[in-house]
Amino acid sequence: MAPWAETPEWEREAAGAVYEQIVQFVSVSDGATLWLTKEEKSRFVDIAWTAQLYKYFGAPEPADVLDYDDLPPWQREMYTDIFEVIEH
């Protein structure tokens, strides 16, 4: 992990895109995302982030685009936290 100022430009742009996708999703559902499970929220972030990796790398390393079920628990929890912080 690196401070935001030291984070590569592509990664900051990708994070911004995922942020905007979550904001739009919450908005178009009129906040009904509150009813989603933690896993559903986490999967949303995972899919959005994976799409950004394909956007920037075309063919990212397989370890960077693991199937959701193969992600370590800490990463799935982090994705839930990201969604919920933005949601609120």
Side-chain angles (χ1 to χ4, degrees), residues 20-31:
E20 289 299 326
Q21 287 176 305
I22 296 168
V23 167
Q24 290 175 11
F25 186 44
V26 171
S27 176
V28 299
S29 69
D30 290 330

Side-chain angles (χ1 to χ4, degrees), residues 10 14 46-67:
W10 75 266
D46 180 52
I47 290 168
W49 183 252
T50 298
Q52 290 298 308
L53 292 176
Y54 281 112
K55 173 184 175 181
Y56 284 97
F57 298 105
E61 295 293 322
D64 292 333
V65 290
L66 292 174
D67 184 70

Side-chain angles (χ1 to χ4, degrees), residues 2-76:
W4 187 251
E6 296 174 22
T7 301
E9 183 68 23
W10 75 266
E11 197 168 357
R12 286 184 280 156
E13 290 175 6
V18 171
Y19 171 87
E20 289 299 326
Q21 287 176 305
I22 296 168
V23 167
Q24 290 175 11
F25 186 44
V26 171
S27 176
V28 299
S29 69
D30 290 330
T33 54
L34 291 171
W35 296 100
L36 296 176
T37 66
K38 289 185 176 293
E39 182 177 327
E40 290 167 332
K41 293 174 182 185
S42 182
R43 283 182 182 273
F44 185 91
V45 174
D46 180 52
I47 290 168
W49 183 252
T50 298
Q52 290 298 308
L53 292 176
Y54 281 112
K55 173 184 175 181
Y56 284 97
F57 298 105
E61 295 293 322
D64 292 333
V65 290
L66 292 174
D67 184 70
Y68 181 82
D69 293 329
D70 295 328
L71 294 175
W74 68 263
Q75 192 168 0
R76 293 191 302 252

